Amino acid sequence: AQRVTQPEKLLSVFKGAPVELKCNYSYSGSPELFWYVQYSRQRLQLLLRHISRESIKGFTADLNKGETSFHLKKPFAQEEDSAMYYCALSEKGAQKLVFGQGTRLTINP
Amino acid sequence: GAVVSQHPSWVICKSGTSVKIECRSLDFQATTMFWYRQFPKQSLMLMATSNEGSKATYEQGVEKDKFLINHASLTLSTLTVTSAHPEDSSFYICSARDAGTAYSEQYFGPGTRLTVT
């Protein structure tokens, strides 16, 4: 069965510090991995998908199949990065997403 | 960008009544929509996958007779909570997958807060 684990429920860092939100998954096939973000009082929105290998708002995430991880990183955190972050997995070609429990990131001034 | 709307944004109903929640894709066609439930400070739990023109696929443990899903068009899916009880009070979120892309990403609605008294 597919499973996504975000070990940190809460993460607090200072502005300008590096940030890493951890995500590990268990899936035997070829997964598609995503990071979704939910800012205060807003809907869930896509931040990154691994197949695009893009950087959005300074965030990057690399799929490490050996470690079955898809950690989200940003070198210099900004206050506006404070939000709830969800890692999600989809079986390649399938439709539904499996979400991790989420990590609430707080950037302190 | 792709926008998904939900209506109503919040609803209060009495125990025993039924409530319908609408999910619309505004600027794209969605052959597949998804219904989630989110409890306070918890992650999203997939309830069912709504397929246009066919029966919904429910996740294990979700009562299909209680949570009726209809996906009659490429832009609209509805979730009806039948004979609602206080334990059905929750935040219900829908999402839609753009039929025109190969990606599995989903676009989310703003959610509907249901309170059953």
Side-chain angles (χ1 to χ4, degrees):
Chain A
Q2 304 152 23
R3 188 184 179 98
V4 178
T5 303
Q6 292 178 250
E8 303 137 329
K9 271 193 170 181
L10 303 170
L11 183 62
S12 182
V13 301
F14 286 102
K15 177 182 173 182
V19 138
E20 182 179 51
L21 289 84
K22 291 185 168 51
C23 172
N24 289 90
Y25 67 91
S26 62
Y27 178 62
S28 57
S30 292
E32 290 185 35
L33 274 298
F34 305 86
W35 276 99
Y36 281 83
V37 61
Q38 188 170 28
Y39 300 103
S40 181
R41 299 181 186 279
Q42 293 187 29
R43 71 185 68 194
L44 203 61
Q45 57 186 280
L46 179 68
L47 179 63
L48 285 176
R49 58 177 102 98
H50 90 271
I51 55 177
S52 299
R53 301 184 65 82
E54 57 201 342
S55 173
I56 303 293
K57 299 184 178 183
F59 284 98
T60 58
D62 291 317
L63 179 60
N64 186 322
K65 290 187 177 181
E67 296 183 358
T68 59
S69 67
F70 188 57
H71 303 327
L72 183 68
K73 299 177 184 179
K74 184 169 182 175
F76 307 103
Q78 298 171 296
E79 288 185 65
E80 53 264 35
D81 296 329
S82 294
M84 193 75 180
Y85 290 80
Y86 292 97
C87 183
L89 175 153
S90 174
E91 181 180 342
K92 193 173 184 180
Q95 302 187 63
K96 66 180 185 181
L97 289 170
V98 175
F99 283 88
Q101 289 302 303
T103 298
R104 181 168 296 283
L105 175 64
T106 301
I107 308 301
N108 300 305
Chain B
V3 179
V4 175
S5 70
Q6 276 184 247
H7 177 81
S9 55
W10 59 272
V11 58
I12 301 173
C13 71
K14 291 187 176 180
S15 189
T17 61
S18 295
V19 173
K20 181 186 283 189
I21 302 169
E22 293 185 349
C23 177
R24 292 181 186 272
S25 57
L26 297 186
D27 50 2
F28 66 98
Q29 293 184 331
T31 52
T32 307
M33 291 182 170
F34 305 86
W35 287 96
Y36 296 85
R37 188 170 177 176
Q38 186 177 34
F39 291 103
K41 299 187 178 181
Q42 293 190 28
S43 187
L44 287 78
M45 182 192 78
L46 180 65
M47 298 174 65
T49 301
S50 169
N51 302 296
E52 187 265 336
S54 64
K55 290 183 179 180
T57 303
Y58 290 81
E59 295 299 302
Q60 192 172 6
V62 178
E63 299 175 59
K64 60 182 180 182
D65 293 331
K66 180 166 186 61
F67 298 100
L68 300 179
I69 291 172
N70 184 276
H71 192 156
S73 78
L74 287 172
T75 59
L76 173 64
S77 175
T78 60
L79 169 69
T80 302
V81 183
T82 62
S83 187
H85 290 283
E87 56 265 30
D88 298 324
S89 298
S90 190
F91 197 55
Y92 292 88
I93 302 171
C94 76
S95 70
R97 185 167 173 265
D98 189 341
T101 72
Y103 297 131
S104 298
E105 69 184 87
Q106 298 173 18
Y107 301 96
F108 286 80
T112 296
R113 183 158 305 283
L114 169 64
T115 301
V116 184
T117 60

